[in-house]
Amino acid sequence: MTTVRSVDPPPSTGDSARAGWAISLQGVSRSRAGNPVLRDIDLEIRSGEIIAFVGPIGCGASTLLRAVTGAERPDAGVITVDGRAGAAAPRIPEVRDRTPVARFGRVGTSIAAMARRVGRPDAEAEATRLAQVVGLGALDKLVHRLAHGDRQRWALARALATGPGALALDDPLAALPTAARAETRDRVVHELRARRVTTLWVTRDTAEAAAVADRLVVMDRGRVIAAGSPDELYTRVDDAVVAEVLGPVNAVPGIVDGSIVEVWGREVPLARPAADGHCEVIVRPENVLVIGSEDPGMDAVVEATTFLGSARRSTVRTSDGVQVVVEHPSELRLDPEDHIRVALAPAPATIRPIG
């Protein structure tokens, strides 16, 4: 398979220059067999915005996409696409992890057919370009003989060929290996932004969500519990559900005294004022430091370690019995049973009171 790392931007046509569709959800609810799946969703998605939806399994994000595309009808509420609702609303193409494929038909021909359907005179050239965008070679191959990952690439190229005003993507790159997934993701996002396509992107990969999104929407049990930029939500470690969806967090004991909190023999400034007393300090793994044996901190024993490439993530057990996840440079090799010392970085700390 041919992978193309850089692809020329889409040609400057009326199709690519138009603004994407704005999407509005007001009081949208949906139940199955009496069980709520979506609960009173209110959400405004701006024209050309890329929204990534994340949450635990069963959070309702995939159902929300199906409601927006018209594949499922909500039990209550109104969904407006480009100012129109119900049967008058334009249809939004959807690409799922396992998008159904036709039994017959070749890759290039099927992509060109979608471009031709929307009036593109250069349909074959556009099919070739979009195949490069998604990293798909062998345009003469039969679609139903493609591997799972290449079927995902094909479905993306075919959806993009329609020149959509909006696009719904439900884990559209899940079958691709890590390096190819990142390269394909970046090229697809470049295409979406160049065409100003309003995009709803559901993914189980929070790193992918943060990489593609203008805004993250965190869902849990059918509700939107948080929305904001990736940077804003990553720092919300005091909200347990939001914090855990976006990556591991630690809760370590501390004592608030005025404007500081004492943790493991060190004083750290508070992010926000809090009452004096015992607390839990909520901190991301990268803000736990491995320090020298004589420095103020807490002794710990390594339980497990994982290589992440440029960093390692190690789980340690402190001498006061707390399990802590530490992210440290990959050059610092830690093995199970190693004895180390840890401390918090001197960044403003977010706390939860105890009791």
Side-chain angles (χ1 to χ4, degrees), residues 4-264:
V4 181
R5 292 181 181 272
S6 61
V7 179
D8 291 337
S12 181
T13 66
D15 174 70
S16 63
R18 74 182 184 188
W21 297 330
I23 301 171
S24 173
L25 292 85
Q26 298 177 338
V28 173
S29 298
R30 175 81 170 118
S31 295
R32 294 199 190 100
N35 297 315
V37 182
L38 299 176
R39 304 169 186 253
D40 199 27
I41 302 288
D42 290 319
L43 190 61
E44 300 293 330
I45 301 170
R46 297 182 292 271
S47 169
E49 190 174 25
I50 299 179
I51 301 287
F53 295 85
V54 293
I57 292 173
C59 68
S62 292
T63 301
L64 185 146
L65 251 62
R66 289 177 61 79
V68 170
T69 62
E72 288 197 35
R73 181 174 296 178
D75 300 319
V78 177
I79 299 173
T80 304
V81 179
D82 194 34
R84 292 166 281 174
R91 292 295 178 186
I92 297 175
E94 181 182 12
V95 177
R96 304 196 299 274
D97 178 13
R98 292 187 179 273
T99 299
V101 301
R103 178 68 177 137
F104 299 102
R106 300 191 183 276
V107 170
T109 302
S110 62
I111 298 171
M114 300 305 291
R116 195 174 295 109
R117 185 179 297 179
V118 296
R120 291 198 67 108
D122 57 345
E124 286 76 14
E126 178 68 352
T128 300
R129 189 188 70 81
L130 289 173
Q132 291 180 320
V133 169
V134 300
L136 183 61
L139 295 184
D140 60 342
K141 215 170 185 181
L142 290 170
V143 173
H144 74 275
R145 293 190 179 276
L146 294 176
H148 184 189
D150 281 350
R151 287 189 183 192
Q152 289 188 321
R153 297 179 194 268
W154 167 81
L156 272 170
R158 197 161 176 264
L160 289 167
T162 66
L167 194 57
L169 305 178
D170 194 347
D171 245 347
L173 305 174
L176 300 185
T178 302
R181 180 169 178 163
E183 291 177 358
T184 304
R185 175 202 71 203
D186 291 346
R187 289 195 302 267
V188 168
V189 169
H190 175 75
E191 179 78 11
L192 294 170
R193 294 199 188 284
R195 289 187 177 272
R196 301 171 66 192
V197 180
T198 306
T199 307
L200 290 72
W201 190 313
V202 170
T203 176
R204 296 176 182 86
D205 185 336
T206 54
E208 178 174 277
V212 305
D214 299 311
R215 270 194 300 159
L216 288 179
V217 172
V218 182
M219 295 186 64
D220 185 43
R221 299 179 185 180
R223 297 185 186 278
V224 172
I225 60 171
S229 72
D231 288 350
E232 289 170 349
L233 294 193
Y234 191 75
T235 61
R236 285 183 53 173
V237 293
D238 54 336
D239 187 322
V241 176
V242 174
E244 288 168 12
V245 164
L246 298 181
V249 291
N250 300 300
V252 301
I255 301 176
V256 176
D257 183 8
S259 62
I260 59 96
V261 56
E262 183 180 333
V263 187
W264 298 334

Side-chain angles (χ1 to χ4, degrees), residues 249-294:
V249 291
N250 300 300
V252 301
I255 301 176
V256 176
D257 183 8
S259 62
I260 59 96
V261 56
E262 183 180 333
V263 187
W264 298 334
R266 286 191 175 191
E267 293 183 348
V268 179
L270 285 171
R272 290 186 292 274
D276 288 356
H278 290 273
C279 68
E280 287 182 327
V281 180
I282 314 301
V283 62
R284 295 279 184 192
E286 61 268 27
N287 286 328
V288 182
L289 308 176
V290 179
I291 59 173
S293 58
E294 303 301 320

